[in-house]
Amino acid sequence: MATIAVRRVVLFFAALQASNGHWPAENAGPLFFVPPLVMCLYITGHLNSIFPTEYWKEILWYIYCHRNEDGGWGLHIEGHNTMFCTALSYICMRILGEGPDGGSLNNACSRARKLILDHGSVTLIPSWGKTWLSILGLFDWYGTNLVPPEFWILCDNPTFP
């Protein structure tokens, strides 16, 4: 029975595999992927060359459509608000040209900013959020949590399981 199950799984995944070897899939659930991508392109000066203005509109629309009713964003499209995703989405909207009170869908920027301030400000954002804010010059590096050097050693070790 186990052999039959394994064969079925192999056939199933082989059928899903694209001709170039990868397994295509939608990855739209997590809401903490797009803002850092926009931030990286902004920091490196490649935002305009990688994403034309029409893409900016689509990214903004994606952000607007996945906002919770009270104006914040969760870790995924059905998640409750988190300071992390609300702050990253707010910054992403601002980078993509929305003003502080902008956001073409129900004043998304002003509502997000109010939510951030009403819940203790970005000082309550998790470590990765503080790191992004510090990279952008929006948060003092002294306020970020230290990452142990062992973490970076593990990341650089191709033999680590």
Side-chain angles (χ1 to χ4, degrees):
M1 291 260 246
T3 305
I4 294 170
V6 170
R7 283 187 183 141
R8 286 182 178 169
V9 168
V10 169
L11 289 173
F12 175 75
F13 280 106
L16 294 176
Q17 191 172 19
S19 60
N20 65 358
H22 83 286
W23 283 271
E26 180 185 11
N27 198 1
L31 296 176
F32 50 87
F33 289 160
V34 171
L37 173 62
V38 170
M39 290 175 201
C40 285
L41 293 172
Y42 172 77
I43 291 165
T44 60
H46 291 92
L47 184 60
N48 293 327
S49 62
I50 301 296
F51 291 144
T53 308
E54 289 303 313
Y55 282 49
W56 291 26
K57 292 175 188 174
E58 292 300 321
I59 293 169
L60 287 168
W61 185 248
Y62 174 82
I63 291 171
Y64 300 149
C65 287
H66 295 299
R67 186 180 59 175
N68 292 329
E69 288 182 24
D70 61 356
W73 288 264
L75 288 175
H76 53 85
I77 60 174
E78 295 178 350
H80 297 289
N81 294 344
T82 65
M83 184 64 73
F84 180 62
C85 287
T86 300
L88 292 184
S89 294
Y90 174 79
I91 292 166
C92 184
M93 290 187 294
R94 295 299 311 278
I95 288 173
L96 293 176
E98 294 291 6
D101 296 321
S104 53
L105 191 63
N106 295 328
N107 301 322
C109 286
S110 59
R111 291 184 68 203
R113 187 178 59 255
K114 181 178 180 347
L115 194 69
I116 291 167
L117 295 173
D118 287 350
H119 288 85
S121 81
V122 293
T123 57
L124 300 179
I125 199 170
S127 298
W128 286 111
K130 289 177 182 175
T131 300
W132 278 113
L133 293 173
S134 297
I135 290 168
L136 289 165
L138 302 172
F139 194 83
D140 195 314
W141 280 103
Y142 289 109
T144 61
N145 300 326
L146 299 176
V147 177
E150 294 82 5
F151 175 79
W152 301 111
I153 292 169
L154 294 177
C155 289
D156 195 36
N157 185 349
T159 62
F160 188 76

